[in-house]
Amino acid sequence: MYELTKVIKDYHRGREVVHALAGVDLDITDGEWLAIQGPTGHGKSTLLQMLGGLDRPTSGSVVLEGKDLAGLRESEITAIRANAIGFIFQTFNLIPTLSAQENVEAALVPLGVSTADRRAMAASALEGVGLGDRLRHLPSQLSGGQQQRVAIARALVKEPMVLLADEPTGNLDEETRDDLMALLEDLWRELRLTMVIVTHDSAVARRAQRIAVMRAGKLAIKQDTRPAPAA
Amino acid sequence: MFATYLRRELRRRSRQVVLIALGLALGVGLVITVTAASTGVKNAQAAVLHSLYGVGTDITVTQAPAAGTGGPGGFGFGLNRGTRTRPAPGTKFTSDRLNPGQLAPLADSAVTKIARLNGVAAATGSLTLTDVSISGTIPSFGGSAGASGGSASGGTPGSGGRGFITPNVFGVAGVNLTQGAIGPLSSGKITAGRTFTSADASANVAVVDANYAAQHKLKVGSTVAIGGSTGKSTSFTVIGLVSTASGSGSDVYIPLLRAQQLSGLTGKVNTIYVAAASATEIGGVSKQISTVLPKATVTTASSLAGQVTGSLASAASLANSLGRWLAIAVLVAAFALAVLLTISAVSRRVREFGTLKALGWRSRRVVGQVMGESLLVGLIGGIVGIGLGLVGASLVNAFTQPLTAAVGPTTGSATPGGSRVFGGAGQFGGSPGAGPGSAFRRLASSQTVTVHLTADVTATVIIAAVLLAILGGLIAGGFGSWRAARLRPAAALAKIA
């Protein structure tokens, strides 16, 4: 699925150069669940942005399904994001003026889905995350856990290949976190998603097949529980 | 999704939307009001020029008399003219003379010459004359009879004779009946009776100014006495009354041929009215006329407009300078406010737009969303602005006093229908040939016209105002969109790391 080779990302902060990613090599297989842990400011989110095509590496390659995201035009990367990648953010990032259903529909807009189909698909996705009775609710009328469920529905309604989640449980209490992670795990299994979750929470990370740790822009695999490939 | 998102977003920041829309509305409203007022002033100016100048006339040609000439002789009371014999006290006298005033006569051929010039659609000549009649009784006093009517310097007529004479002065215009479209009668409207026909060319018939007729209790069928070069009057039958703008034009209009015969100016005119083939040819025609008639004074509507003074000129100045700049200043401020608030709104929605881009929204869709919101706000501002503009125009109409306009001062000039200075010809007891402006002036040195300013809001102005508001929205949306388009999703979502 993903093949990252010597990915370097430098930022300029005034005259200072910050090496957010200092040569990351990583392969992510189809249907894998990878958790990335590490201290704040060591490059976890930067790595997630590279995987999602939200930013380009300074050097190195980020290959998704045979295409190097670093070499694609902006419109091509936008199309990949629209079709193949779902995002979940720590702060949910729902559009405050749109209802739960409309927020989910927003993910289908770039795909040119008709209004009627959009509504039906959004309603179905929300029912899938247990919010079938909250379609018309605005984000401000939902709890944190419900908002994150809407975000999950929005990420998955277009049936992406990859789900990228940045601290998806960071703003939730333990009970809600566990409910949400159980939901994500079910969806991962059901939809055979490739899932990458950045998290500080070891309880969340432990659910993944592999755990990688980012430290000073470098990535190290800490745990790998993937089943051995068939001989 | 576009419309829903747009509507919800505008509702969310309704205060800001109201502020931007009101700013644009104020600017648009001011533009409409000022434009309407300015148009009203222009229309008023046109009405003034129309009344002073004549419909269809683009250029008038006149000529000041040569220095030392003053037209035909003065009044000798019809008694032993040219002698020093003093009439006996108690002798009654009467005299009615028709004088060309301060305008020098021009040959009929000048009209033909002008009519043949390039760019001239039509030309006609007329005689602008002044009828001065006096009557009274010779008193018993020791002065010379020749000086009994006053001084030649414009002193009170009859001052030496203790008011024993009764003067009557009115304007007479000889009208060319074959060119009704231009000329002194063209700006008038017949309110009773009829106007001239070609059959009236040699008839003693007159069309009288309605105001003059009301003052002198004249009506269709009445007779009016018009003097001649010999001092004897001829009766003219009133065939129609004509309404012109207040105070403009002559008092009595008669056929040109009769005016020429009575004034002793056969084959002469003293005002030539010219219509150019098109507005762009007026300048060229003026130059040609100046070449053909080098001594003539050539007056165009624009040069006459430059001489308009009075509260109308003040209103024009107010509308054109202060009003225009005020409207521009408010509009610029409104645009700036709209731009700043839109950029501020986009800045607050950085994460929102970043999220949409992460979802796969193209930049142009995000830009379209911002532009749509700004355009709608601009449209709301434009609609409210039209309302404000209509209210403003109504207030202008309701509270503007009638405006006055005068052409002049033009002492010695030959502006048609403008400053009419009577002198030179027919001084009361003065010596003939003293030159223009030497003896008698008619009431005022300039002609005053009263007009009512009507600030009309036209469809063009409304469309322009809506376009202006949309432009405001486009500018604001353009800046906001530029900011949104440059947004990199990673930077927008950086806070979530």
Side-chain angles (χ1 to χ4, degrees):
Chain A
M1 168 70 61
Y2 273 110
E3 197 174 322
L4 281 69
T5 310
K6 295 179 181 170
V7 175
I8 293 174
K9 180 66 183 178
D10 296 335
Y11 292 110
H12 292 271
R13 193 178 295 159
R15 289 182 180 180
E16 185 190 356
V17 177
V18 178
H19 305 289
L21 298 179
V24 173
D25 294 304
L26 176 66
D27 287 338
I28 303 172
T29 52
D30 269 358
E32 176 186 346
W33 178 353
L34 171 70
I36 301 174
Q37 286 192 288
T40 301
H42 280 243
K44 301 187 300 294
S45 293
T46 304
L47 178 60
L48 204 68
Q49 286 169 1
M50 297 296 154
L51 294 173
L54 297 175
D55 208 346
R56 292 170 190 267
T58 306
S59 65
S61 62
V62 180
V63 176
L64 170 63
E65 292 290 291
K67 290 179 182 172
D68 185 1
L69 300 184
L72 295 180
R73 291 199 305 270
E74 193 58 43
S75 59
E76 292 172 316
I77 295 180
T78 302
I80 288 174
R81 280 203 301 267
N83 286 286
I85 303 172
F87 289 94
I88 302 173
F89 307 102
Q90 179 180 352
T91 47
F92 321 134
N93 288 27
L94 300 179
I95 309 300
T97 51
L98 300 181
S99 68
Q101 188 176 20
E102 289 158 351
N103 263 287
V104 177
E105 281 184 57
L108 299 171
V109 168
L111 301 179
V113 179
S114 71
T115 306
D117 287 349
R118 249 181 12 223
R119 283 185 186 155
M121 290 167 73
S124 171
L126 283 167
E127 275 173 24
V129 296
L131 291 176
D133 57 344
R134 297 283 191 274
L135 302 184
R136 303 282 169 87
H137 285 57
L138 291 173
S140 58
Q141 296 167 321
L142 300 172
S143 68
Q146 288 172 326
Q147 287 187 54
Q148 196 59 298
R149 283 169 184 262
V150 174
I152 291 169
R154 182 178 66 182
L156 299 180
V157 69
K158 59 191 176 189
E159 297 177 2
M161 293 190 296
V162 184
L163 180 65
L164 303 176
D166 196 343
E167 299 283 6
T169 57
N171 281 358
L172 305 176
D173 59 55
E174 279 188 22
E175 190 180 341
T176 310
R177 175 200 68 188
D178 292 341
D179 287 347
L180 196 83
M181 287 314 300
L183 173 68
L184 275 177
E185 194 167 343
D186 288 346
L187 290 169
W188 169 67
R189 286 186 200 287
E190 185 183 330
L191 302 173
R192 303 188 63 77
L193 285 167
T194 301
M195 196 154 77
V196 181
I197 293 180
V198 166
T199 181
H200 279 105
D201 192 336
S202 296
V204 171
R206 274 198 296 273
R207 290 174 176 264
Q209 289 178 310
R210 259 200 312 171
I211 301 173
V213 178
M214 281 291 294
R215 201 175 294 274
K218 289 188 178 293
L219 190 74
I221 299 297
K222 179 180 164 188
Q223 179 186 318
D224 189 347
T225 58
R226 284 179 294 179
Chain B
M1 176 59 75
F2 172 80
T4 306
Y5 190 15
L6 187 150
R7 197 178 65 244
R8 300 265 180 82
E9 177 56 31
L10 292 187
R11 194 189 297 165
R12 181 171 73 102
R13 50 188 177 99
S14 53
R15 280 186 190 176
Q16 199 184 61
V17 167
V18 167
L19 196 62
I20 295 173
L22 270 182
L24 288 173
L26 201 60
V28 166
L30 258 177
V31 167
I32 290 177
T33 305
V34 169
T35 307
S38 182
T39 307
V41 169
K42 278 181 190 163
N43 290 341
Q45 279 184 323
V48 169
L49 295 176
H50 171 110
S51 63
L52 296 179
Y53 208 72
V55 174
T57 304
D58 298 314
I59 301 164
T60 56
V61 183
T62 54
Q63 188 170 309
T69 64
F75 288 96
F77 306 127
L79 299 169
N80 303 319
R81 190 177 179 204
T83 72
R84 285 284 178 180
T85 305
R86 177 189 303 170
T91 306
K92 291 188 175 178
F93 64 90
T94 180
S95 180
D96 193 353
R97 288 187 177 278
L98 200 54
N99 305 310
Q102 64 166 12
L103 301 177
L106 298 160
D108 264 346
S109 59
V111 180
T112 314
K113 279 184 191 172
I114 290 173
R116 286 176 184 160
L117 295 176
N118 285 335
V120 172
T124 188
S126 80
L127 265 177
T128 303
L129 304 165
T130 306
D131 188 295
V132 182
S133 66
I134 56 172
S135 59
T137 306
I138 300 295
S140 54
F141 65 101
S144 89
S148 61
S151 73
S153 60
T156 308
S159 61
R162 295 185 295 276
F164 66 96
I165 60 171
T166 307
N168 182 33
V169 182
F170 59 91
V172 177
V175 182
N176 186 336
L177 307 188
T178 60
Q179 288 281 4
I182 55 172
L185 257 185
S186 62
S187 65
K189 184 182 176 186
I190 296 292
T191 57
R194 65 175 177 86
T195 188
F196 297 114
T197 64
S198 53
D200 296 323
S202 304
N204 289 341
V205 291
V207 172
V208 180
D209 177 78
N211 289 334
Y212 182 82
Q215 286 168 13
H216 294 82
K217 297 178 180 172
L218 297 172
K219 54 187 181 181
V220 174
S222 301
T223 57
V224 58
I226 296 177
S229 58
T230 60
K232 290 184 179 176
S233 63
T234 305
S235 286
F236 278 70
T237 304
V238 177
I239 58 167
L241 303 183
V242 64
S243 173
T244 59
S246 164
S248 66
S250 294
D251 299 313
V252 178
Y253 301 86
I254 61 174
L256 176 62
L257 188 61
R258 295 296 293 128
Q260 289 171 328
Q261 289 165 347
L262 290 175
S263 61
L265 296 170
T266 306
K268 306 281 186 186
V269 295
N270 62 7
T271 305
I272 301 173
Y273 296 80
V274 184
S278 70
T280 55
E281 306 211 53
I282 293 174
V285 170
S286 297
K287 285 180 185 169
Q288 291 181 70
I289 294 171
S290 295
T291 308
V292 174
L293 301 171
K295 291 181 183 173
T297 303
V298 181
T299 309
T300 63
S302 60
S303 66
L304 190 62
Q307 297 172 29
V308 172
T309 60
S311 58
L312 176 60
S314 306
S317 170
L318 196 69
N320 289 333
S321 50
L322 178 66
R324 182 180 300 168
W325 286 113
L326 181 67
I328 289 173
V330 171
L331 210 56
V332 168
F335 281 14
L337 179 76
V339 168
L340 287 175
L341 290 179
T342 305
I343 288 178
S344 158
V346 169
S347 298
R348 279 201 296 272
R349 296 164 74 192
V350 162
R351 176 175 294 191
E352 189 173 314
F353 292 142
T355 303
L356 290 172
K357 286 191 170 187
L359 292 180
W361 282 42
R362 289 175 182 272
S363 285
R364 67 164 176 260
R365 188 180 288 276
V366 176
V367 165
Q369 199 69 40
V370 175
M371 287 296 283
E373 291 168 9
S374 294
L375 276 179
L376 188 62
V377 175
L379 210 57
I380 293 169
I383 290 167
V384 176
I386 289 170
L388 288 179
L390 291 173
V391 170
S394 305
L395 291 176
V396 169
N397 288 335
F399 293 107
T400 305
Q401 298 293 318
L403 300 171
T404 58
V407 177
T410 55
T411 303
S413 83
T415 308
S419 170
R420 290 193 292 181
V421 182
F422 294 86
Q427 293 91 343
F428 289 59
S431 60
S438 60
F440 181 80
R441 290 166 192 275
R442 185 184 183 183
L443 295 178
S445 65
S446 61
Q447 189 168 2
T448 302
V449 176
T450 302
V451 288
H452 293 273
L453 192 150
T454 307
D456 284 330
V457 180
T458 62
T460 311
V461 171
I462 288 178
I463 291 168
V466 171
L467 290 178
L468 212 56
I470 289 174
L471 177 71
L474 277 175
I475 292 173
F479 276 98
S481 302
W482 174 73
R483 176 114 168 74
R486 288 179 70 236
L487 205 61
R488 290 182 62 80
L493 300 170
K495 290 178 184 176
I496 65 175

